[in-house]
C-alpha cells in the first residue's frame, strides 16, 4: 500500500462554527476541499496512529462520496481501525455513543444537522473527541488555523469500499469495520430507560407519531418505537433517510415542521408526537393542540431525572445555554442542583459533563442531553418523555402545566432573521454592543432595563474564555432579550433574538406566547435599529 502526499493549497473559508464546518454542497465538492479539511483535523491531533476512528453521517447528498475520501485519508494517516455505520449512516448521538463504546480516539460525523440537504443544500463535517463530545473550542480553533496553511494531505489509492455489507476487511494496517447503525444505540437506550414500562403504555392503546422528517432517525425510530416498544406500525412517519430529505428543511420546530403541528391540531391527533432533525440530535414534543417549548422541556426533564434509576447516583448539576430560559434554574434550585450557563453550542457542555459537574443539559433550540453521551440526543429525549407519561399517566399538556403551577411560566420564543446581509448584521451587533453602557435604567413602555451586557464565559474546568457570545438585556421584571448571530449557516447571516417573559399568576398561564412577548419584540427592534439596518420588519422563523 503506497501512502501518497498530495500537494494542496489552503481554502480560507474552512472556519468551524457553532457545530463544525457547514458549507454549500457546491463549495464542498471543490477538488481537495474535504481532504484538506479532514487532514487539518488529523494534523491538529496527536497520537491517533493505531487507534480507532468512528465515521458516519446523516445520509444527506454527498455523504457516501465524502466517506470514501475520508476512509482513504484515515488509512493513510495510520488509524488502526475505522468503525463505519452501514451505508455511511450514523446519527450524531449514535456516533457519539460508539466513540465511547469502541474506545475510539474520536469520530467524524458528516452532517449539516438542521440545514437543508440535496445537491443545492448544505453539507457539514464535525469532529468529536474520545469522550464523544464535540471538539472543544481550543481544538476547533486549532483545526481552523491549520486549514489556512495546509500544503499537503496523505491518501492512498483504494477501490471503493462497500459500505452496505456488515463486516470487517483490512487495508494496509487498518481494519475497516462496517457495523449496524442502530443496534448499539438501541441497546444503550434500553440500559437507560425501562422499556417494559413504556411498552405497557402502548399496550393500553396510547398513540404516538414520530416524524423523522426523511432524515437520519428513521431507522432508529422504527426499530425503537415500533419494533421494541410496540407503538403501532406507521407511528414513525417520513422514516426513510433521503439525500435531500424529500425537500423538507429538517429542523423540528413550529415553522419547518408545521405539518406535524397542524396534524396535532386535527381530530386525527395522536396522544403524543415528536420530531427530530437531520442528524437526530434535536427533538420537538407535541401533545394534541399543544406544543412544549424546549426550555420548558428541559426543566421538566430536570424535575423527573431522579425517577430514572440510571441517574440515581449521578444526578449532579444541570447546564443550559445562555439563550435558554431559566425555567430549568427554578427546578434545579428547588432540587438543590447547581446550574451552569454556557454559550450556545454543545461543545461547551463537554467539559462539565466530563468533570461530572452536570448530568443534564439543554438548549432552547430543541436540544437536550445528559451524561449518557456527550452530544444532544433527540430519541433519548423522546424516550424520557414517554417514561414521564407512562409513570404519571398524565397528558403532555398536563405535565407542562404542572411545571407552570409549581414555578410560574416563562414565556419563551426565538425569532430568527435568516439570510441577512452579513456586513449589515455585523454592523447591527457592533452598534448594539457599543450602546450597552447607555442602556441600563432606560425605560421602554414600562419595561426598565436593569442590566445590559455581552455574555462572556469562562469554562470552570479548562479556564478557557469565550467572549462576545450574545448581547443580553435584562429587565427589572426579569424579562430578557438576547441577541446573537448564528454560527451554523452556510451563507449570509442569521440574527437570532430570544425573548423570555415571566408570569407568576395562574390566570396568565394560557396566553398566546407571541402576544405576551410582543412588547419585548418592539423593544428589541428599537434598541438595535433592526428595520433600518436589515431592511426587515419580521423574522423568517418563529419558534
Ligand atoms: C444553532 C442553535 C444551537 C445549536 C446549534 C447546533 O446554532 O442555536 O443552539 O447548538 O444550532 O445544532 P446557531 O449558531 O445557528 O444559533 V444542530 O442540531 O444544527 O447540530
Ligand atoms: Co442536529
Amino acid at each position: 500500500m503506497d501512502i501518497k502526499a498530495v500537494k494542496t493549497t489552503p481554502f480560507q473559508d474552512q472556519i468551524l462554527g457553532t457545530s463544525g464546518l457547514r458549507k454549500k454542497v457546491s463549495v464542498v465538492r471543490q477538488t481537495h476541499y474535504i481532504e484538506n479539511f479532514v487532514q487539518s483535523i488529523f494534523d491538529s491531533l496527536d497520537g491517533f496512529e493505531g487507534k480507532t476512528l468512528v465515521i458516519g453521517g446523516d445520509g444527506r447528498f454527498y455523504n457516501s462520496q465524502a466517506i470514501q475520501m475520508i476512509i482513504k485519508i484515515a488509512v493513510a494517516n495510520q488509524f488502526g481501525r475505522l468503525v463505519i455505520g452501514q451505508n455511511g449512516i450514523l446519527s450524531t448521538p449514535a456516533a457519539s455513543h460508539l466513540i465511547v463504546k469502541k474506545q475510539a480516539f474520536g469520530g467524524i460525523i458528516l452532517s449539516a444537522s438542521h440545514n437543508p440537504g440535496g445537491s443545492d443544500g448544505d453539507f457539514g463535517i464535525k469532529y468529536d473527541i474520545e469522550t464523544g463530545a464535540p471538539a472543544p473550542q481550543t481544538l476547533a480553533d486549532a483545526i481552523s488555523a491549520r486549514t489556512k496553511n495546509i500544503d499537503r494531505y496523505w491518501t492512498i489509492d483504494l477501490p471503493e469500499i462497500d459500505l452496505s455489507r456488515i463486516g470487517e476487511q483490512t487495508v494496509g494496517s487498518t481494519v475497516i469495520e462496517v457495523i449496524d447503525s442502530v443496534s448499539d444505540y438501541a441497546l444503550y437506550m434500553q440500559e437507560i430507560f425501562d422499556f417494559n414500562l413504556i411498552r405497557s403504555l402502548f399496550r393500553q392503546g396510547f398513540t404516538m407519531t414520530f416524524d423523522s422528517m426523511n432524515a437520519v432517525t428513521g431507522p432508529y425510530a422504527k426499530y425503537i418505537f415500533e419494533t421494541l416498544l410496540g407503538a403501532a406500525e406507521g407511528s414513525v412517519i417520513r422514516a426513510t433517510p433521503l439525500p435531500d430529505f424529500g425537500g423538507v428543511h429538517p429542523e423540528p420546530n413550529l415553522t419547518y415542521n408545521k405539518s406535524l403541528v397542524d396534524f396535532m391540531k386535527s381530530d386525527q391527533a395522536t396522544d403524543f408526537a415528536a420530531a427530530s432533525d437531520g442528524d437526530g440530535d434535536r427533538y420537538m414534543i407535541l401533545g394534541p393542540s399543544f406544543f412544549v417549548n424546549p426550555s420548558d422541556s428541559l426543566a421538566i426533564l430536570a424535575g423527573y431525572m431522579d425517577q430514572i434509576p440510571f441517574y440515581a447516583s449521578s444526578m449532579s448539576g444541570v447546564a443550559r445555554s445562555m439563550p435558554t430560559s431559566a425555567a430549568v434554574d427554578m427546578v434545579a434550585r428547588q432540587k438543590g442542583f447547581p446550574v451552569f450557563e454556557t454559550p450556545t453550542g454543545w461543545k461547551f457542555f463537554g467539559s462539565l459533563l466530563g468533570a461530572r459537574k452536570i448530568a443534564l443539559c439543554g438548549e432552547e433550540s430543541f436540544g437536550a442531553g445528559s451524561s449518557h453521551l456527550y452530544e444532544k440526543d433527540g430519541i433519548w429525549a423522546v424516550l424520557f418523555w414517554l417514561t414521564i407519561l407512562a409513570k404519571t399517566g398524565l397528558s403532555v399538556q398536563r405535565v407542562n402545566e404542572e411545571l407552570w403551577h409549581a414555578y410560574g411560566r416563562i414565556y419563551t420564543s426565538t425569532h430568527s432573521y435568516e439570510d441577512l446581509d452579513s456586513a449589515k448584521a455585523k454592523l447591527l451587533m457592533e452598534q448594539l454592543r457599543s450602546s450597552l453602557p447607555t442602556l441600563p435604567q432606560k425605560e421602554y413602555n414600562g419595561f426598565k432595563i436593569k442590566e445590559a451586557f455581552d455574555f462572556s464565559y469562562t469554562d470552570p474546568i479548562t479556564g478557557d474564555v469565550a467572549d462576545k457570545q450574545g448581547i443580553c438585556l435584562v429587565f427589572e421584571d426579569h424579562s430578557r432579550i438576547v441577541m446573537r448571530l448564528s454560527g451554523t449557516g452556510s451563507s449570509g447571516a442569521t440574527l437570532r433574538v430570544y425573548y423570555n417573559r415571566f408570569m407568576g399568576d395562574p390566570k396568565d398561564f394560557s396566553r398566546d406566547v407571541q402576544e405576551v412577548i410582543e412588547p419585548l419584540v418592539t423593544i428589541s427592534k428599537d434598541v438595535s435599529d433592526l428595520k433600518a439596518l436589515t431592511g426587515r420588519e419580521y423574522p423568517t422563523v418563529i419558534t
Side-chain angles (χ1 to χ4, degrees):
M1 188 191 68
D2 277 343
I3 297 175
K4 296 188 294 188
V6 177
K7 277 205 163 65
T8 186
T9 47
F11 294 90
Q12 294 305 321
D13 65 349
Q14 296 190 324
I15 313 291
L16 286 83
T18 310
S19 175
L21 181 74
R22 299 216 181 155
K23 294 287 166 198
K24 288 261 168 265
V25 166
S26 54
V27 171
V28 171
R29 283 173 111 172
Q30 297 173 87
T31 312
H32 303 319
Y33 199 90
I34 297 265
E35 291 92 338
N36 271 21
F37 187 70
V38 172
Q39 185 67 55
S40 296
I41 297 176
F42 297 158
D43 285 351
S44 309
L45 303 169
D46 266 328
F48 53 75
E49 293 80 3
K51 304 263 173 69
T52 299
L53 181 73
V54 171
I55 308 173
D58 63 10
R60 68 177 62 220
F61 186 87
Y62 212 54
N63 198 58
S64 310
Q65 294 94 317
I67 289 187
Q68 295 294 338
M69 293 177 201
I70 295 169
I71 291 172
K72 292 178 194 164
I73 299 172
V75 171
N77 278 272
Q78 320 259 291
F79 274 92
R81 177 178 288 262
L82 307 181
V83 174
I84 308 176
Q86 190 176 18
N87 297 316
I89 296 282
L90 282 178
S91 74
T92 289
S96 172
H97 170 56
L98 274 175
I99 291 170
V100 175
K101 183 165 183 177
K102 301 275 181 184
Q103 295 180 313
F105 188 87
I108 291 182
I109 304 169
L110 303 172
S111 172
S113 188
H114 61 277
N115 298 17
S119 56
D120 303 328
D122 284 359
F123 193 77
I125 306 179
K126 308 193 264 191
Y127 179 73
D128 277 7
I129 60 173
E130 72 202 331
T131 58
Q137 192 62 50
T138 40
L139 175 56
D141 290 344
I143 297 169
S144 300
R146 176 59 181 149
T147 63
K148 297 221 163 116
N149 58 25
I150 189 164
D151 57 1
R152 56 92 191 99
Y153 62 82
W154 306 104
T155 192
I156 52 162
D157 287 326
L158 193 67
E160 186 157 310
I161 302 288
D162 180 1
L163 297 180
S164 67
R165 274 212 330 266
I166 289 175
E168 289 188 7
Q169 55 183 293
T170 303
V171 178
S173 53
T174 308
V175 177
I176 300 179
E177 179 185 2
V178 177
I179 57 150
D180 181 89
S181 314
V182 173
S183 54
D184 293 281
Y185 177 82
L187 274 173
Y188 194 37
M189 290 300 119
Q190 292 169 77
E191 282 176 38
I192 303 172
F193 298 107
D194 180 350
F195 272 41
N196 281 327
L197 175 76
I198 304 175
R199 255 192 295 267
S200 69
L201 187 68
F202 288 111
R203 259 202 312 273
Q204 291 156 31
F206 181 87
T207 55
M208 101 178 241
T209 309
F210 185 93
D211 187 353
S212 291
M213 301 185 82
N214 306 315
V216 80
T217 53
Y220 295 86
K222 271 220 136 331
Y223 181 62
I224 291 173
F225 298 122
E226 295 186 9
T227 309
L228 294 179
L229 291 171
E233 214 182 309
S235 298
V236 181
I237 59 170
R238 301 199 278 188
T240 306
L242 301 175
D244 65 349
F245 307 125
V248 167
H249 187 147
E251 183 168 356
N253 62 35
L254 298 173
T255 301
Y256 291 127
N257 202 339
K258 194 170 173 306
S259 58
L260 188 66
V261 175
D262 287 345
F263 168 76
M264 288 304 284
K265 284 185 190 152
S266 76
D267 50 14
Q268 320 278 303
T270 43
D271 297 322
F272 174 74
S276 193
D277 71 331
D279 62 330
D281 56 1
R282 294 189 184 206
Y283 73 111
M284 173 168 73
I285 302 291
L286 302 167
S289 298
F290 192 81
F291 163 69
V292 182
N293 184 282
S295 291
D296 273 3
S297 179
L298 181 64
I300 291 164
L301 302 188
Y304 284 95
M305 197 92 174
D306 50 10
Q307 295 197 27
I308 299 196
F310 182 84
Y311 298 106
S313 59
S314 62
M315 193 54 216
S316 44
V318 298
R320 63 169 168 83
S321 65
M322 180 273 287
T324 305
S325 94
V328 70
D329 303 31
M330 303 194 289
V331 177
R333 203 172 304 127
Q334 200 254 328
K335 299 240 170 206
F337 307 141
V339 180
F340 295 84
E341 191 180 28
T342 57
T344 294
W346 217 258
K347 60 185 167 219
F348 295 102
F349 294 134
S351 60
L352 296 170
L353 286 163
R356 314 228 176 279
K357 293 270 183 210
I358 58 167
L360 176 75
C361 45
E363 298 190 279
E364 54 58 56
S365 58
F366 300 80
S370 83
S371 49
H372 75 291
L373 57 85
Y374 292 6
E375 285 274 6
K376 55 189 187 230
D377 189 345
I379 287 185
W380 167 86
V382 173
L383 288 167
F384 199 152
W385 262 92
L386 287 170
T387 302
I388 295 171
L389 299 177
K391 269 188 188 279
T392 61
L394 299 174
S395 68
V396 172
Q397 177 164 351
R398 202 59 224 136
V399 169
N400 203 155
E401 284 169 353
E402 289 208 334
L403 175 82
W404 301 336
H405 283 282
Y407 302 99
R409 178 172 182 186
I410 303 181
Y411 281 87
T412 300
S413 183
T414 304
H415 289 193
S416 295
Y417 296 79
E418 298 175 321
D419 280 321
L420 298 177
D421 178 90
S422 297
K424 287 182 182 159
K426 273 196 192 123
L427 181 65
L428 179 146
M429 289 304 288
E430 267 153 34
Q431 287 195 4
L432 188 57
R433 194 168 284 126
S434 55
S435 74
L436 286 175
T438 68
L439 293 177
Q441 300 307 319
K442 272 202 179 154
E443 194 169 324
Y444 298 85
N445 288 331
F447 287 82
K448 191 163 180 189
I449 298 183
K450 193 169 143 207
E451 289 175 280
F453 58 94
D454 199 348
F455 181 66
S456 165
Y457 177 68
T458 305
D459 186 307
I461 313 301
T462 63
D464 293 339
V465 177
D467 55 14
K468 298 192 177 170
Q469 295 296 317
I471 289 183
C472 303
L473 308 182
V474 181
F475 295 82
E476 287 203 321
D477 72 341
H478 303 296
S479 295
R480 189 176 69 149
I481 299 171
V482 176
M483 297 176 88
R484 59 177 281 278
L485 295 182
S486 151
T488 57
S490 62
S491 60
T494 293
L495 172 69
R496 299 204 197 280
V497 193
Y498 309 85
Y499 303 100
N500 294 158
R501 188 171 173 199
F502 178 79
M503 296 272 163
D505 186 339
K507 78 172 171 15
D508 288 317
F509 288 170
S510 45
R511 289 172 61 179
D512 178 72
V513 183
Q514 297 308 316
E515 175 242 320
V516 170
I517 63 157
E518 168 43 43
L520 299 173
V521 174
T522 308
I523 296 170
S524 67
K525 289 178 177 170
D526 284 355
V527 294
S528 66
D529 213 4
L530 193 135
K531 193 176 168 197
L533 284 174
T534 66
R536 297 283 182 84
E537 195 152 5
Y538 300 107
T540 37
V541 178
I542 294 182
T543 61

